């Protein structure tokens, strides 16, 4: 079974600075998808960024980018120019490209933005 | 925008009661999911459904059942509520037509307390 590990329960960053959230995963599969979801204090979870394992290029969405290291099974999220609205719980998630729709989530990292 | 609506934001019930959590989505999505979210444990999948009257167990189905009589509605049932089912419950939906990398869309969550 796949597992997803987020080793940083809490992180904080000064506004306008850059922060990196870590995620590692364990799988024997070669094709899969990785996601970062954001859950603000209002609680609705939204997708931040996604990465397909077969794509070598790291995904980027505006101020959000990932560092995908397939051999190391690492998928970190970098947030540049941090803003107050980035304060949230961030969850890393894994989805196999085979079989069912199941997402396996990590335990989350709570990000605090310091004004 | 996709709208996933959970019937209650907060719910308080007593041990032994039968509890219904309702979820409705307005985008004609085939797939729907129920998760529970606990601090330090992330999101864990309880049940999911690919279509009307179809259901599959997730990682923690014990003590729960589900019902999907209509495509837009997915209900989670606690047959006899227990205190260890106090948690945040999240509903999500997705269309396979979005491709394997397409996101799940989440509701706001129901914070359930069992006394």
């Amino acid at each position: 079974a796949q597992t997803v590990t987020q080793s940083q329960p809490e992180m904080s960053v000064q506004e306008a600075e850059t922060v990196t959230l870590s995620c590692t995963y364990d799988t024997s599969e070669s094709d899969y998808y990785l996601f970062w979801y954001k859950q603000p204090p209002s609680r609705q979870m939204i997708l931040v960024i996604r990465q397909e394992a077969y794509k070598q290029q790291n995904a980027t969405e505006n101020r959000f980018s990932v560092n995908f290291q397939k051999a190391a099974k690492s998928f970190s999220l970098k947030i540049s120019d941090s803003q107050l609205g980035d304060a949230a719980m961030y969850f890393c998630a894994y989805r196999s490209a085979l079989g069912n729709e199941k997402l396996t989530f990590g335990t989350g990292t709570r990000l605090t933005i310091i004004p | 925008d996709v709208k996933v609506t959970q019937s209650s934001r907060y719910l308080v019930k007593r041990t032994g009661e039968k509890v219904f959590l309702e979820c409705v989505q307005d985008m004609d999505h085939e797939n729907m999911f129920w998760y529970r979210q606990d601090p330090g444990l992330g999101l864990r999948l309880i049940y999911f459904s690919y279509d009307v009257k179809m259901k599959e167990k997730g990682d923690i189905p014990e003590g729960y059942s589900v019902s999907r009589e209509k495509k837009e509605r997915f209900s989670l049932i606690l047959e006899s509520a227990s205190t260890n089912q106090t948690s945040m419950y999240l509903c999500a939906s997705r269309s396979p037509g979005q491709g394997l990398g397409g996101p799940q869309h989440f509701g706001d969550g129901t914070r359930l307390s069992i006394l």
Side-chain angles (χ1 to χ4, degrees), chain A residues 33 35 37 39 42-47 50 89 91 95-97 99-108, chain B residues 9-10 31 33 35 37 40-43 45 48 50 59 88 90 94 96 100-104 106-108 111:
Chain A
Y33 289 80
F35 304 86
Y37 280 86
Q39 187 183 43
S42 63
R43 297 180 297 169
Q44 187 174 61
M45 193 95 66
I46 56 173
L47 178 69
R50 81 196 84 181
M89 281 290 289
F91 292 96
R95 188 222 158 133
S96 171
N100 64 37
E101 292 258 338
K102 180 182 172 183
L103 280 180
T104 300
F105 285 86
T107 52
Chain B
R9 293 291 292 268
Y10 300 94
N31 300 338
F33 309 82
Y35 295 90
Q37 181 181 358
L41 297 178
L43 278 74
L45 183 64
F48 60 104
Y50 287 117
D59 295 320
M88 171 73 78
L90 295 176
R94 201 188 95 88
L100 295 177
Q104 292 187 9
F106 287 83
D108 287 340
R111 186 167 294 282

Side-chain angles (χ1 to χ4, degrees), chain B residues 22-82:
Chain B
E22 306 287 346
C23 175
V24 177
Q25 49 93 6
D26 66 357
M27 286 301 292
D28 202 36
H29 285 171
E30 293 84 354
N31 300 338
M32 297 188 74
F33 309 82
W34 275 107
Y35 295 90
R36 66 177 281 176
Q37 181 181 358
D38 299 288
L41 297 178
L43 278 74
R44 292 177 292 166
L45 183 64
I46 305 171
Y47 268 97
F48 60 104
S49 169
Y50 287 117
D51 203 346
V52 174
K53 297 190 185 298
M54 295 183 68
K55 61 184 179 183
E56 290 205 23
K57 293 180 180 179
D59 295 320
I60 52 165
E62 296 78 17
Y64 303 94
S65 62
V66 290
S67 172
R68 194 164 181 203
E69 297 294 321
K70 294 184 177 181
K71 191 175 184 180
E72 68 271 17
R73 185 180 298 270
F74 192 35
S75 302
L76 179 69
I77 304 158
L78 286 66
E79 295 290 344
S80 178
S82 64

Side-chain angles (χ1 to χ4, degrees), chain A residues 42-60:
Chain A
S42 63
R43 297 180 297 169
Q44 187 174 61
M45 193 95 66
I46 56 173
L47 178 69
V48 175
I49 199 166
R50 81 196 84 181
Q51 175 83 40
E52 183 178 0
Y54 266 112
K55 292 187 176 179
Q56 293 185 341
Q57 186 173 5
N58 288 327
T60 299

Side-chain angles (χ1 to χ4, degrees), chain A residues 1-63:
Chain A
Q2 292 82 22
T3 58
V4 178
T5 301
Q6 293 180 249
S7 58
Q8 305 155 316
E10 295 184 351
M11 293 278 286
S12 61
V13 63
Q14 293 277 353
E15 195 175 1
E17 296 296 310
T18 295
V19 64
T20 298
L21 308 184
S22 300
C23 173
T24 59
Y25 58 94
D26 187 26
T27 184
S28 59
E29 299 175 338
S30 59
D31 195 13
Y32 47 86
Y33 289 80
L34 297 164
F35 304 86
W36 279 98
Y37 280 86
K38 171 185 177 182
Q39 187 183 43
S42 63
R43 297 180 297 169
Q44 187 174 61
M45 193 95 66
I46 56 173
L47 178 69
V48 175
I49 199 166
R50 81 196 84 181
Q51 175 83 40
E52 183 178 0
Y54 266 112
K55 292 187 176 179
Q56 293 185 341
Q57 186 173 5
N58 288 327
T60 299
E61 291 284 347
N62 300 314
R63 296 182 297 108

Side-chain angles (χ1 to χ4, degrees), chain A residues 34 52-53 73 94 112-113:
Chain A
L34 297 164
E52 183 178 0
K73 296 180 182 175
Y94 171 102
T112 300
I113 310 298

